Amino acid sequence: MLDTRLTSEQEQLRKTVQEFAREVVAPVSAHHDETRTFPYDVVRQMGDMGLFGLPFPEEHGGMGGDYFALCLALEELGKVDQSVAITLEAGVSLGAMPVHRFGTDAQKARWLPELCAGRALGAFGLTEAGAGSDAGGTRTTAVLQDGEWVINGTKAFITNSGTDITRLVTVTAVTGTTASGKKEISSLLVPVPTPGFTAEPAYSKVGWHASDTHPLSFDDVRVPEENLLGERGRGYAGFLQILDEGRIAIAALAVGAAQGCVDESVAYARQREAFGRPIGQNQAVAFKIARMEARAHTARTAYYDAAAKMLAGLPFKKEASIAKLVAGEAAMDNARDATQVHGGYGFMNEYVVARHYRDSKILEIGEGTTEVQLMLISRDLGL
Ligand SMILES: Cc1cc2nc3c(=O)[nH]c(=O)nc-3n(C[C@H](O)[C@H](O)[C@H](O)COP(=O)(O)OP(=O)(O)OC[C@H]3O[C@@H](n4cnc5c(N)ncnc54)[C@H](O)[C@@H]3O)c2cc1C
């Protein structure tokens, strides 16, 4: 029989993060959003709790948990603050995971302990101004000269790449041409700081104001030959593998956002009165919230399923895309409906739902757009 109940350990983790989100994250969320400042103190506390090390082995400073544990934490954080949740998601699933999956023992020993502790952040540099959905179109180059890779180019929209605690950026770069004449793309570890590497001024974004996002430039950046991550020429394939897993994590974050919108709307609809009674007593309002709950529930079921398949070693690519697709849409649709339920107050930044309204759009774009998920699902169907 299928059993989707959480174990007592998982339930304990979920409750601990829920409490942390309510007591530590939520009180400062509006401030960091308004001032567009990175929540260093919150990140330090998440590091102390072990959240950045959740899916990594204890020998490298991790908590010895799994990817699903990370997802549970992201869902709870996503309910109250998407910026904090994406900082954790990108730090773990994009920053540290490539080192864990593809790194040599020396690379793991060097990077994982401080990334797992949350004392340092790693970033994932795939996207370029002209290469997003079509990330294989990368133009950044790396040439091997006298035992060093010399990197030149730019990257766009890179999360966690310019904070005071950013210590590593993993980038894809063209390192040659394959036998069949295609670009040979490899991954390289760039410690921060390294001369020639610049995190340009942060973007002004519609949402995720407290998350750190920069364009990056590489101007004759030299790193030792041993900073090649994984096999030469396998960099793009490796990044795609990381993104398959990352979609489950982003789906979990989006489910958190969708559920946060439900919770806020239920509470508001019970206490806000119009025409002499709580607005939730109007079926038009109650049905809107019921539909929101259905979206959050469906999306949660989808990411649990994708995570279960991944952890069981089964194919999970299609399921991860489905989870990312439905969860991103659930977050966006619920944010729109929750704002409507809150009336004019829902348009005021101090309300969580207003933040979700601005923050959720990117969930249909980042780590593969809705259209890219549809492309992957239809490909799996043989279309
Ligand atoms: C806040 C933020 C944080 C990010 N963090 C990171 C990060 O840490 N690391 C990183 O590498 N990247 C990051 N990204 C980049 C993100 O993954 C890309 O923006 C995303 O993959 C889309 O690429 P694009 O912006 O170039 O859009 P495009 O690829 O130019 O797409 C534009 C539109 O065309 C559609 N489209 C494209 N091709 C097709 C097709 N064949 N069929 C149908 N529709 C198509 C797309 O779905 C989209 O709607 C981040 C982006 C943002 C905004």
Side-chain angles (χ1 to χ4, degrees):
M1 186 179 126
L2 278 177
D3 188 353
T4 52
R5 286 172 302 178
L6 300 183
T7 64
S8 58
E9 227 182 357
Q10 289 164 339
E11 191 53 38
Q12 184 56 43
L13 170 72
R14 200 186 66 74
K15 279 202 178 124
T16 305
V17 180
Q18 186 180 55
E19 215 173 280
F20 175 76
R22 197 172 46 226
E23 287 170 13
V24 177
V25 181
V28 294
S29 290
H31 165 74
H32 287 294
D33 178 71
E34 195 83 19
T35 55
R36 302 186 181 220
T37 46
F38 188 77
Y40 286 103
D41 190 46
V42 169
V43 169
R44 183 186 53 74
Q45 293 187 58
M46 291 201 296
D48 292 346
M49 287 167 74
L51 299 188
F52 283 91
L54 272 176
F56 302 114
E58 290 172 17
E59 60 169 312
H60 290 123
M63 299 292 281
D66 58 27
Y67 212 82
F68 185 61
L70 170 69
C71 290
L72 289 176
L74 290 170
E75 186 181 331
E76 290 308 322
L77 292 170
K79 283 181 188 171
V80 304
D81 191 326
Q82 293 189 39
S83 287
V84 166
I86 191 60
T87 299
L88 177 66
E89 194 275 343
V92 176
S93 102
L94 302 179
M97 194 56 84
V99 179
H100 171 60
R101 287 262 179 268
F102 311 117
T104 60
D105 287 345
Q107 288 168 341
K108 288 180 194 174
R110 157 132 197 230
W111 292 110
L112 287 181
E114 56 174 351
L115 295 175
C116 286
R119 285 193 301 273
L121 284 174
F124 178 87
L126 175 67
T127 305
E128 298 185 7
S133 303
D134 183 15
T138 186
R139 296 173 82 161
T140 296
T141 58
V143 179
L144 197 53
Q145 273 177 9
D146 306 325
E148 287 182 325
W149 291 102
V150 184
I151 307 168
N152 279 289
T154 59
K155 294 286 170 183
F157 306 134
I158 309 303
T159 304
N160 288 344
S161 61
T163 72
D164 295 348
I165 56 170
T166 301
R167 295 286 172 267
L168 174 69
V169 178
T170 306
V171 288
T172 48
V174 179
T175 49
T177 309
T178 64
S180 56
K182 290 194 177 143
K183 284 177 180 173
E184 176 197 83
I185 300 177
S186 305
S187 296
L188 295 157
L189 300 170
V190 179
V192 177
T194 295
F197 165 79
T198 311
E200 306 289 352
Y203 293 98
S204 169
K205 296 173 298 205
V206 168
W208 284 8
H209 284 164
S211 158
D212 178 78
T213 327
H214 297 260
L216 305 179
S217 67
F218 299 81
D219 185 9
D220 279 337
V221 171
R222 291 175 174 272
V223 298
E225 186 172 357
E226 59 267 23
N227 281 26
L228 178 74
L229 181 67
E231 243 178 85
R232 182 170 176 165
R234 297 284 304 154
Y236 184 48
F239 266 42
L240 293 186
Q241 186 184 328
I242 290 294
L243 286 176
D244 284 339
E245 299 174 1
R247 283 178 186 131
I248 306 177
I250 284 283
L253 189 166
V255 167
Q259 190 65 53
C261 288
V262 176
D263 298 348
E264 292 292 324
S265 298
V266 169
Y268 193 77
R270 277 197 181 130
Q271 59 90 13
R272 174 70 177 176
E273 293 197 1
F275 301 99
R277 58 181 187 161
I279 57 168
Q281 285 184 15
N282 297 294
Q283 222 173 37
V285 175
F287 277 15
K288 196 185 282 297
I289 300 173
R291 194 173 287 283
M292 290 162 62
E293 172 71 6
R295 290 186 196 118
H297 177 82
T298 309
R300 181 179 299 106
T301 308
Y303 99 68
Y304 274 31
D305 175 57
K309 292 205 163 83
M310 173 189 158
L311 294 176
L314 298 168
F316 67 94
K317 237 172 126 72
K318 182 180 73 176
E319 287 77 6
S321 283
I322 290 174
K324 164 74 171 59
L325 174 77
V326 299
E329 290 183 348
M332 193 62 224
D333 291 347
N334 280 10
R336 187 193 58 237
D337 285 349
T339 301
Q340 191 68 21
V341 168
H342 281 70
Y345 297 97
F347 203 59
M348 298 299 118
N349 276 326
E350 73 213 66
Y351 280 76
V352 180
V353 296
R355 223 168 43 238
H356 279 311
Y357 187 74
R358 287 187 281 103
D359 287 349
S360 295
K361 182 60 205 164
I362 184 61
L363 294 167
E364 295 181 315
I365 297 171
E367 295 199 32
T369 62
T370 291
E371 292 74 22
V372 165
Q373 308 315 322
L374 292 169
M375 212 188 290
L376 294 170
I377 296 164
S378 52
R379 232 181 249 164
D380 189 87
L381 296 173
L383 298 169

